[in-house]
Amino acid sequence: MTVEHEDAYNLDTDPLSTELNETKLAETRKRFKSFQYSYLTVYLTVMGSDWLQGPYLYKLYTTYGLEFERIALLFLTGFLSGAFAGTALGSMADSWGRRKMCLLFCFTTITALCVRMMNVYPVLILSHLLSGASTALMYSVFEAWYVAEHTARGFPSEWRSQTFGQATFLNGIVAIVAGLVANQLVDIWGVTAPYIFACMLLTGAASMILSTWTENYGEPSGNRDVRLTDALKQGLRVLFGSNNIILLGAAQTFFESSMYVFVLLFTPAIENAATTAYGIEDSSPIPLGYLFATLMFAIMTGSMAFQTLDRQSSTPGTSGWMRYITKDRMLTGALTLASMSFWAMAYGSTSVVTLGLAYHVFEFTTGVYHPSISSLRAETIPEESRAAVMTLLRIPMNMVIAIIFWNVDAISQAMLFAMCGVMTFVGAVFLSLRYKS
């Protein structure tokens, strides 16, 4: 045996060296858990404030005496604002700083919620202009901050999917708790109470961002002199220069557009089915609260499935079919299963049982979709334009939703579900044929 081989042999088999490596890994894992906790605490607080707002927004507007058409116009305003104002703000996060834009999200959302409690229609339009822009920030700058900070702190890239999986799972729990809390707040203090409590949560999130988060930029120097047009041009160059980013954007547009349509339709669709099956008298007491809770549990189950498959497939020495369970294949599978669930909703729109089962299958795919696409975006989008590209990817989705919502009265529920089935299937086909791992 040569000296070089002997030295290598001693190094590989030396118990002290192995112990030092294990100690270093344990320390890195401890630092990662602390960092992960600081991110998830803020993220879940922000999502909790968002979940509090949803259940009673329509009811709030009906107490103002607004008709359906005027309420629909408010929602449409929000989506258009997200497509344009949200894109402009998000594109500047790479140069202005992701942490600053997260704080801007908190301030903008608090302002939107405060003015939303004023029964003046032009002021309500302003509220949705603000909330539309802030929603675009919520789904881009927080993730962009986390990915950049994860990399800067030297953690393994494969650990990112752990955070995204846990975020989706815990978000399901937060949604259930937020729904229960919102009910109690309305019973005690009235329909505006959830919005006041949401402002308090956002204030807490902003305080945690200020005290525990550091700033990061798309460029190490954080060039603040970049103009909006330059940021958008750079984002567009990156977007159209990568086939994988375009495919992820298409998958995001198709799936999330379908998800928003589902949110709009799932309550009236199952109520109509109950009316058809059991009569008008029996359709009103549908336990929507329990249904919502079980749908959130389906999301959590999907998240657990993602985490289990991702952990097993990334384990060294994995053999057999588990080697083929990559994140892009899990995303393709989620889109395919979502398409099947939407076709079941379309053809079984008069059956409460069929709709209930299809609803839960779709929410299961949502639990797989979110951590899958977040992980793939983190791997695919370059750091210097991450926030800009992520906000640009939301423009087609906002436009599709705006068009659908504008024509929602002219399209039957079954046809809308069928359209969602087509969109998610097309997204699955694109990914399976063109995406390159």
Side-chain angles (χ1 to χ4, degrees), residues 77-394:
T77 301
F79 287 120
L80 292 175
S81 175
F84 297 104
T87 300
L89 290 173
S91 297
M92 297 306 297
D94 297 315
S95 56
W96 289 354
R98 282 76 176 265
R99 177 174 173 266
K100 291 186 184 71
M101 299 306 286
C102 290
L103 290 170
L104 178 63
F105 158 82
C106 293
F107 174 77
T108 305
T109 307
I110 290 172
T111 304
L113 294 178
C114 288
V115 300
R116 189 166 295 172
M117 290 181 279
M118 301 170 61
N119 186 9
V120 180
Y121 195 73
V123 175
L124 294 177
I125 291 179
L126 173 62
S127 171
H128 279 266
L129 286 171
L130 292 172
S131 63
S134 65
T135 298
L137 293 177
M138 181 174 69
Y139 287 108
S140 58
V141 294
F142 285 90
E143 182 180 318
W145 179 89
Y146 170 78
V147 173
E149 201 68 19
H150 181 107
T151 304
R153 299 191 184 203
F155 299 124
S157 59
E158 58 268 21
W159 288 4
R160 287 190 301 240
S161 60
Q162 299 178 20
T163 301
F164 294 135
Q166 288 190 30
T168 303
F169 177 83
L170 294 173
N171 189 32
I173 298 176
V174 169
I176 295 172
V177 174
L180 297 174
V181 171
N183 287 339
Q184 293 300 313
L185 290 173
V186 170
D187 290 342
I188 298 172
W189 288 298
V191 74
T192 59
Y195 302 96
I196 297 173
F197 194 69
C199 290
M200 295 169 60
L201 288 179
L202 288 168
T203 302
S207 300
M208 287 186 284
I209 292 171
L210 282 170
S211 60
T212 63
W213 286 21
T214 57
E215 187 60 274
N216 63 53
Y217 303 87
E219 296 288 350
S221 59
N223 182 8
R224 302 179 188 182
D225 297 329
V226 175
R227 294 181 300 175
L228 173 60
T229 53
D230 294 334
L232 289 173
K233 287 178 182 177
Q234 174 64 19
L236 288 170
R237 278 195 295 267
V238 172
L239 172 60
F240 289 106
S242 170
N243 186 59
N244 279 354
I245 295 178
I246 294 174
L247 290 174
L248 289 178
Q252 175 178 312
T253 298
F254 291 139
F255 188 94
E256 296 189 18
S257 297
S258 301
M259 182 176 66
Y260 279 107
V261 173
F262 173 80
V263 170
L264 177 69
L265 294 181
F266 87 95
T267 297
I270 202 165
E271 285 181 342
N272 291 341
T275 299
T276 302
Y278 308 117
I280 296 177
E281 298 80 6
D282 297 327
S283 66
S284 56
I286 292 178
L288 294 176
Y290 292 121
L291 175 61
F292 177 79
T294 57
L295 291 177
M296 293 303 102
F297 182 76
I299 292 178
M300 294 160 60
T301 304
S303 170
M304 288 189 292
F306 168 83
Q307 293 180 69
T308 301
L309 291 172
D310 182 59
R311 184 171 55 251
Q312 292 294 328
S313 62
S314 60
T315 301
T318 299
S319 59
W321 62 273
M322 285 301 301
R323 292 179 300 170
Y324 302 99
I325 307 298
T326 56
K327 295 181 184 68
D328 59 291
R329 289 194 175 104
M330 282 192 276
L331 180 59
T332 302
L335 284 159
T336 303
L337 194 56
S339 177
M340 295 168 63
S341 69
F342 278 121
W343 283 111
M345 295 176 208
Y347 284 102
S349 58
T350 58
S351 170
V352 174
V353 174
T354 301
L355 285 178
L357 291 174
Y359 285 2
H360 287 82
V361 171
F362 172 69
E363 293 291 15
F364 173 85
T365 67
T366 301
V368 178
Y369 165 83
H370 283 295
S372 298
I373 199 162
S374 294
S375 300
L376 291 170
R377 282 195 300 248
E379 296 172 2
T380 306
I381 302 175
E383 186 58 43
E384 63 272 12
S385 302
R386 185 176 303 280
V389 172
M390 289 178 64
T391 50
L392 286 168
L393 290 177
R394 293 186 63 82

